[in-house]
């Protein structure tokens, strides 16, 4: 029986720790503020933004909502970001992605001041991570590290295999595991013998975006398996990139979907906001 890594519980612990910190800061006259910008009303984005607002409320972070129309121009959006960059009472700025097609996403990410880049997507934040300097780290991979640490799973010296090389999950995940002294291999769609590489892993992090692709034949007995994927299956049930029923009996530890990595992303966003406020 694998140890079930409980992301719901761990994310709640993190949020409660942050709530205490924020109360202390408030008592000393400092109010942390996150500005969340949503362009248009994509239903999935509305759900994500709503969850972020709820988490801010729970922790005691002030949230400023900019719900602006789909037709907003790139220039107008850049204007809002510029104003928020210059506003000392705002500590974090988040633009909910994706933005409408007429807006250049890269330009928007680059416009956010690295000191307020709580998503950790700015090239300066990514660069800082890769050379071991201080900077904000992308929330989902930062959450995975917390799951491992708080479940007492050693990373140092371990064979870590990450499947996926996206800018927001796979790449920063690999850098973080390396920072924790893991021996890291990155796999992607062109990797040959994926199964053989995965079978070497003591810690296997799966971020492929393919429902239930990784079954027990990819997993070494006793390995820790972290499933970043989120999908709805043919019965509208949530599932991950890992075939949980097949992998759980061979894994040493595993994250479920839902209730594994998912809740950690917002908890780490809140953590980044508090850090932004302390800078
Ligand atoms: P992505 O599509 O940007 O990247 C997928 C990666 O998987 C690519 O680098 C690709 O090379 C690799 N890949 C695709 N097919 C492969 C194959 N057959 N073999 C090996 N590698 C393959 O996806 P992403 O944004 O990194 O997200 C990955 C998954 O994580 C998605 O299911 C997404 O919904 C989920 N996700 C969850 C959270 C969360 O908060 N839990 C956050 C971000 C993403």
């Amino acid at each position: 029986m694998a140890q079930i890594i409980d992301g719901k519980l761990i994310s709640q612990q993190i949020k409660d720790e942050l709530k205490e910190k924020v109360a202390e800061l408030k008592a000393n006259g400092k109010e942390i503020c996150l500005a969340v910008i949503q362009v248009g009303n994509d239903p999935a984005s509305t759900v994500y933004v709503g969850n972020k607002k709820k988490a801010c409320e729970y922790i005691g972070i002030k949230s400023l909502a900019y719900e602006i129309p789909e037709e907003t121009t790139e220039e107008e959006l850049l204007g809002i970001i510029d104003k928020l960059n210059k506003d000392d009472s705002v500590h974090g700025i988040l633009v909910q992605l994706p933005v409408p097609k007429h807006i250049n996403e890269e330009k928007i990410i680059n416009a956010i001041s690295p000191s307020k880049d709580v998503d950790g997507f700015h090239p300066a934040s990514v660069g800082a991570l890769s050379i071991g300097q201080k900077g904000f780290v992308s929330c989902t991979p930062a959450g995975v590290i917390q799951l491992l640490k708080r479940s007492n799973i050693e990373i140092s010296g371990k064979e870590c295999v990450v499947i996926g090389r996206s800018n927001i999950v796979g790449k920063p995940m690999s850098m973080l595991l390396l920072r924790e002294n893991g021996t890291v291999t990155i796999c992607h769609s062109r990797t040959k013998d994926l199964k053989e590489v995965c079978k070497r892993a003591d810690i296997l992090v799966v971020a492929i975006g393919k429902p239930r692709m990784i079954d027990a034949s990819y997993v070494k007995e006793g390995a820790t398996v972290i499933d970043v994927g989120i999908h709805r299956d043919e019965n509208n049930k949530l599932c991950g990139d890992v075939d949980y029923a097949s992998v759980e009996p061979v894994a040493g530890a595993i994250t479920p979907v839902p209730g594994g990595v998912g809740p950690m992303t917002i908890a780490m966003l809140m953590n980044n906001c508090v850090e932004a406020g302390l800078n």
Side-chain angles (χ1 to χ4, degrees):
M1 272 284 280
Q3 171 192 350
I4 311 301
I5 301 176
D6 188 345
K8 230 173 142 181
L9 182 83
I10 296 173
S11 64
Q12 189 60 46
Q13 284 166 353
I14 293 174
K15 285 193 282 187
D16 286 336
E17 289 163 17
L18 292 170
K19 192 175 181 170
E20 251 178 60
K21 249 192 225 173
V22 167
E24 246 173 65
L25 287 168
K26 244 187 210 158
N28 291 322
K30 180 148 198 177
E31 181 168 48
I32 295 185
C33 173
L34 169 69
V36 180
I37 307 171
Q38 183 185 354
V39 190
N41 41 22
D42 170 67
S45 293
T46 304
V47 172
Y48 293 139
V49 166
N51 288 341
K52 288 168 189 175
K53 275 194 237 164
K54 252 191 255 162
C56 281
E57 231 167 78
Y58 180 77
I59 290 166
I61 294 174
K62 180 179 171 186
S63 68
L64 292 179
Y66 287 78
E67 279 141 18
I68 57 179
E70 180 90 16
E71 311 76 62
T72 304
T73 65
E74 186 176 283
E75 216 181 346
E76 283 166 334
L77 179 55
L78 288 170
I80 296 173
I81 294 172
D82 183 52
K83 203 179 96 209
L84 293 169
N85 277 340
K86 290 174 178 150
D87 184 342
D88 288 341
S89 69
V90 173
H91 303 98
I93 304 171
L94 183 155
V95 178
Q96 185 62 44
L97 300 177
V99 284
K101 284 194 178 65
H102 64 275
I103 296 176
N104 181 333
E105 188 171 294
E106 197 181 316
K107 247 192 195 169
I108 299 306
I109 292 173
N110 290 358
I112 296 170
S113 163
S115 66
K116 300 189 180 188
D117 173 38
V118 286
D119 258 339
F121 295 164
H122 192 286
S125 307
V126 178
L129 172 63
S130 62
I131 57 172
Q133 285 182 1
K134 212 170 160 310
F136 292 111
V137 176
S138 181
C139 301
T140 303
V144 170
I145 297 291
Q146 283 302 313
L147 284 179
L148 293 170
K149 286 193 168 171
R150 289 173 186 248
S151 307
N152 296 317
I153 293 164
E154 178 82 33
I155 305 170
S156 180
K158 294 292 165 67
E159 287 278 351
C160 304
V161 174
V162 178
I163 323 179
R165 56 171 162 185
S166 71
N167 288 342
I168 61 164
V169 186
K171 280 186 204 145
M173 188 71 252
S174 311
M175 295 311 301
L176 283 171
L177 289 165
L178 181 62
R179 192 165 86 176
E180 298 296 330
N181 302 313
T183 301
V184 183
T185 305
I186 308 172
C187 298
H188 45 79
S189 50
R190 308 279 177 90
T191 298
K192 289 200 175 109
D193 302 326
L194 183 66
K195 256 184 206 183
E196 291 319 303
V197 182
C198 291
K199 280 207 122 164
R200 295 207 300 257
D202 300 311
I203 298 174
L204 179 63
V205 181
V206 188
I208 332 173
K210 300 235 154 73
R212 298 198 179 104
M213 181 179 141
I214 300 302
D215 63 18
S217 66
Y218 290 78
V219 178
K220 179 169 81 177
E221 181 93 37
T224 296
V225 179
I226 304 288
D227 188 355
V228 181
I230 314 177
H231 313 275
R232 290 227 173 245
D233 71 6
E234 54 289 354
N235 304 316
N236 206 31
K237 242 185 99 189
L238 283 174
C239 73
D241 290 346
V242 172
D243 182 349
Y244 186 89
S246 158
V247 172
E248 190 271 336
V250 294
I254 188 167
T255 57
V257 176
V261 175
M264 294 301 290
T265 301
I266 288 196
M268 297 318 289
L269 172 69
M270 296 297 109
N271 181 68
N272 282 352
C273 291
V274 173
E275 264 180 36
L278 292 173
N279 286 338

